Amino acid sequence: MRPPDRRQQRTRMALLAAFRDLMFAERYDRINVAAVCERANVGRSTFYAHFPGKDALLAASMQPLLSTLADVAVSGDSPSLLWLLAHFWEQRRHGRVVFAPPLRRILERELADRIHERLGPAQRIAALQIAAAQLTIIDAWMTGGVSATPAELAARLSATARLVTPP
């Protein structure tokens, strides 16, 4: 197996960084591929060699966070859960952007897909239910709708693993 091409990795990272910067400067619906390309200093064809579109770029940028939540949903634990919650809390000002439509719908679908991959084919409904529950409680916590310490929230998120029961 060949090691990954460093140029491709740098380009992918540049696209992700450009997208992240634009996300916090513009509304999602105002960000387009041309703006990401310009900020990353790459051409459109290069962008499409790495991502099929803007939603895929969003999913890729959130991949580490979604993977942690998916792990918690299935096993009830993840070594990086407290770090993730601390990150969400520190970035809660941006939560209004990330947890609002249309991004919320995209994130929920992507998280459900990650959970579904871990649970297996017969558990699609459970994956959707858990993804919605996790994002709802995190959003409520970040916006002041519920009060909890990160450890208390981690315990509640871990409890979602108990929702996974055979039909």
Side-chain angles (χ1 to χ4, degrees):
M1 190 169 178
R2 288 177 27 189
D5 183 317
R6 281 188 253 162
R7 289 177 301 150
Q8 288 180 342
Q9 287 177 323
R10 278 193 304 271
T11 300
R12 185 176 173 83
M13 295 307 295
L15 288 165
L16 288 165
F19 177 73
R20 180 200 61 228
D21 293 347
L22 288 168
M23 276 288 299
F24 296 124
E26 294 284 333
R27 287 187 3 207
Y28 183 74
D29 60 347
R30 292 188 179 160
I31 298 170
N32 57 35
V33 170
V36 174
C37 291
E38 182 179 323
R39 189 163 191 117
N41 197 28
V42 301
R44 283 179 81 83
S45 60
T46 299
F47 174 91
Y48 288 112
H50 292 272
F51 299 99
K54 183 174 74 168
D55 290 354
L57 189 55
L58 171 66
S61 70
M62 298 294 288
Q63 178 60 35
L65 309 176
L66 297 177
S67 289
T68 295
L69 291 173
D71 290 344
V72 169
V74 174
S75 71
D77 191 29
S78 172
S80 54
L81 180 57
L82 284 175
W83 173 89
L84 175 64
L85 294 175
H87 173 74
F88 279 150
W89 186 256
E90 290 168 6
Q91 300 298 321
R92 67 188 176 277
R93 180 172 57 92
H94 300 298
R96 292 186 314 272
V97 174
V98 176
F99 283 87
L103 290 131
R104 169 66 173 267
R105 202 170 42 255
I106 297 165
L107 291 179
E108 201 168 297
R109 182 184 64 233
E110 291 294 328
L111 178 55
D113 288 348
R114 302 293 170 284
I115 295 169
H116 188 225
E117 289 166 1
R118 288 161 172 79
L119 292 178
Q123 295 289 340
R124 182 66 184 166
I125 292 173
L128 292 165
Q129 179 183 14
I130 293 167
Q134 284 184 330
L135 293 180
T136 297
I137 193 66
I138 292 169
D139 182 31
W141 177 64
M142 290 188 319
T143 57
V146 295
S147 178
T149 66
E152 290 169 337
L153 188 62
R156 300 310 281 159
L157 289 170
S158 295
T160 60
R162 290 193 294 268
L163 294 174
V164 182
T165 56

